[in-house]
Amino acid sequence: MLGLFFLGDRTQKEQTKVVTTSSNQEISARDKVIANYLNQMALEEKVGQMIFARMPSTGQTEALENYHFGGYILFASDFEGKTLEQVKEEIASYQSLSKVPLLMASDEEGGMVTRISQLLETPFSSPLELYQSGGIEAILSDAKQKTSLLKEEGIYAGFFPVADLSTDPSSFIYDRTIGQEAKTTADYIGQLVKLLKQEQFTSTLKHFPGYGDNADSHTDLVYDNRSLEELRANDFLPFKAGIEAGADSIMVSHNIVSAIDNVPSSISPEINKILRNELGFEGVIMTDDFDMQGLVQFVDQDTGALQTIQAGTDMILSSSYASQIPYIIEQVKAGTITEERIDQSVKRILGMKYDLGLIK
């Protein structure tokens, strides 16, 4: 009997060793692919990877060739008058022009924020509607259908889930949440991120550090005067759950959270420190849309791009890339920021693309 126990113990240790070795080999393979891509990229290409560009209405291929974007964002207008097959063909043509595969994205939260599903007979429902009708299971089932459609088209990011909290139906963000308190929302976020990981589809938690019942930053500067203690006890919890479940990316809002910093969160070093040091997030940090008034009224596009990179952000959602990319390159050459700082972000971006199977 003792011999059997010893043999079983040894076998278990050997199995553990094999698993550990396999894991190390996988990590090494990932790092090697990232290094190979990075070593072949010029500075211009690296900075381009940090731009998640809004699809221009014309000259899409020229922009790709000139600016080497990390990704393209498709909005509702980009789908108007097209079939799903036409969209798929267009996306494939953009990929064929990209030295580093693009991360194609489109906001597809469901409900009031739908893009490609306007081409369907029935657009995707909001998480709030789904939760009210069938709980978290209904949201997960919907997410499977959604990711299947998007991936079939060549879109690997839908900029969801919304991890914000709101139980007030009159608040701006309420209809995009599940309308529940922190614990239930955290449970939902954790389960959905795990599902998206299984589906090999980008998870983007938004809008850190938590939107709350604040006004709409699309149209104005937004000041959030809640305490850091309140944010930690409530709004951070869904983000923590998503991070622990393996979230790929986090989108940061433009709200000015007075307890943390006196600038929009999207350009705040303190916000990034909380994500990296307090919450332990190692993935891609991206801004909300740089065209929103919550940022535009505070800083110009080029300076804002520099400040968000200095703050530690990896990707900028932008339509002002034609001036931002040359400006950032100038700042690197002038020594305002280092190329090593750019490399840090590009490694994370490439790592996300590797995890999605876009680069090998």
Side-chain angles (χ1 to χ4, degrees), residues 39-290:
N39 292 339
Q40 296 177 50
M41 295 168 71
L43 176 60
E44 292 80 2
E45 294 171 313
K46 293 177 183 179
V47 175
Q49 283 297 299
M50 297 179 71
I51 300 295
F52 227 139
R54 293 184 64 145
M55 176 83 74
S57 56
T58 60
Q60 297 94 338
T61 56
E62 291 83 0
L64 277 176
E65 291 170 336
N66 291 333
Y67 298 114
H68 319 287
F69 303 130
Y72 249 158
I73 309 166
L74 303 173
F75 283 79
S77 59
D78 299 310
F79 297 107
E80 288 177 0
K82 298 174 184 175
T83 65
L84 289 174
E85 187 58 35
Q86 287 173 326
V87 171
K88 185 176 181 178
E89 289 173 359
E90 284 186 9
I91 290 173
S93 72
Y94 300 144
Q95 290 289 17
S96 69
L97 296 170
S98 300
K99 178 180 174 182
V100 179
L102 288 160
L103 179 54
M104 297 298 300
S106 186
D107 268 315
E108 197 63 49
E109 297 171 18
M112 64 186 295
V113 182
T114 56
R115 309 298 188 219
I116 195 170
S117 69
Q118 68 183 348
L119 302 182
L120 305 178
E121 187 173 330
T122 304
F124 291 112
S125 299
S126 71
L128 178 64
E129 294 166 327
L130 292 165
Y131 183 81
Q132 290 174 342
S133 64
I136 294 175
E137 283 304 316
I139 300 175
L140 298 178
S141 176
D142 176 81
K144 277 193 172 185
Q145 297 176 44
K146 190 186 301 185
T147 56
S148 177
L149 169 67
L150 291 169
K151 286 172 64 177
E152 177 64 25
E153 295 297 302
I155 298 170
Y156 279 75
F159 292 151
F160 62 85
V162 171
D164 299 308
L165 298 177
S166 179
T167 56
D168 180 1
S170 67
S171 74
F172 161 71
I173 203 69
Y174 177 80
D175 289 334
R176 297 167 65 187
T177 72
I178 62 168
Q180 300 297 307
E181 35 63 49
K183 186 177 183 301
T184 302
T185 302
D187 183 30
Y188 146 63
I189 293 296
Q191 289 191 52
L192 183 52
V193 168
K194 287 177 183 176
L195 172 67
L196 295 177
K197 208 157 194 67
Q198 291 169 5
E199 299 296 317
Q200 216 168 11
F201 189 87
T202 310
S203 52
T204 303
L205 311 179
K206 61 184 187 184
H207 308 80
F208 194 79
Y211 210 92
D213 294 328
N214 291 293
D216 182 3
S217 58
H218 289 85
T219 58
D220 206 351
L221 285 170
V222 173
Y223 292 87
D224 186 337
N225 295 316
R226 292 176 295 168
S227 70
L228 185 54
E229 289 72 25
E230 181 180 350
L231 291 169
R232 282 181 172 136
N234 295 287
D235 294 67
F236 284 11
L237 298 185
F239 291 94
K240 287 177 69 174
I243 291 168
E244 289 170 3
D248 300 297
S249 59
I250 292 179
M251 183 183 292
V252 177
S253 78
H254 299 309
N255 294 359
I256 300 171
V257 184
S258 57
I260 299 175
D261 210 337
N262 60 358
V263 301
S265 295
S266 54
I267 59 173
S268 166
E270 299 307 315
I271 289 289
N272 281 277
K273 286 177 186 175
I274 290 172
L275 280 172
R276 297 293 187 207
N277 302 335
E278 182 176 332
L279 300 183
F281 182 59
E282 297 179 352
V284 171
I285 297 174
M286 63 178 69
T287 70
D288 207 339
D289 191 340
F290 249 48

